[in-house]
Amino acid sequence: MRKKLIAGNWKMNLNAKMAEQFTKLMKETVNTDTADVVFCVPFVHLGMVKSILAGTNIKVGAQNMHYASNGAYTGEISGQMLASMEIPYVIIGHSERREYFKESDTEVNLKALTALKEGLTPIICIGETSKQRKSGRTFSVVRKQLAFAIDEMTAEDITKIIVAYEPVWAIGTGETATKEQAEEVCALIRDEIKASHGQTAADNVRILYGGSVSPENANELFSMPNIDGGLVGGASIKSTFEKVVNFE
Ligand code: PEP
């Protein structure tokens, strides 16, 4: 039985004071009995958020990492650095990074493999654009991004990753995929993993949906058989986030 996981992606939001106040509020209100909860916060807040949440079951994650362990990459943060801070999760290949920072499928794969090597859990994002969906290419795009992302992973590696299906047209737009649209693609991802890495890997891998998840639609989305929770942007920095986590 896969436990649900709700990951909040704060993106580039909240200054230090706001992050401190919001984390304290979340510590009081978020109930982790039914779902694993992760806050993926800006690098500069990782230490503070982690220390406020110490003693709770809420985990902290980063929103990106470099695939090299160290070196002359000014402004970058490595997986090794995250691991040394005992940050267990990291988002890899978010569509905003793919679009604005031109991250390629190859880089996404390198980052995911490095994250695993460092003992981190990569939350690997894949999903089609509006244009790709409208031209009937959703399945082929998702298949290709997935195949690149998990290249060279073993079946055991697969059980340690999280895949987030995030249709680009649904991110930050308020236009959520229907539960049927989201389920169909999450089921495709599980089928692809079964074909490439076997039944056990497919049964164990957690597949999230992301794209304008809110307290209003969380229940119907997360109740679908192949959707194991969500990657939540805008709604994760609102006081009502606990309603997304406790969606039932
Ligand atoms: C995201 O940042 O991954 C995301 C899904 O954002 P939003 O929930 O705001 O659409």
Side-chain angles (χ1 to χ4, degrees), residues 9 11 94 96 125 166 170-174 210-213 231-235:
N9 174 16
K11 311 196 190 203
H94 191 281
E96 287 153 15
C125 303
E166 297 214 303
I171 299 178
T173 59
S212 297
V213 171
L231 180 54
V232 184

Side-chain angles (χ1 to χ4, degrees), residues 1-7 32-37 89 206-208 218-219 221-230 245 247-248:
M1 182 69 179
R2 297 180 297 269
K3 190 171 182 194
K4 297 279 188 220
L5 183 141
I6 316 294
T32 52
D33 288 350
T34 51
D36 290 333
V37 182
Y89 291 87
R206 287 195 281 188
I207 303 172
L208 313 181
N219 187 32
L221 286 161
F222 301 164
S223 301
M224 300 306 278
N226 284 291
I227 302 180
D228 304 315
V245 175
F247 56 90
E248 282 163 318

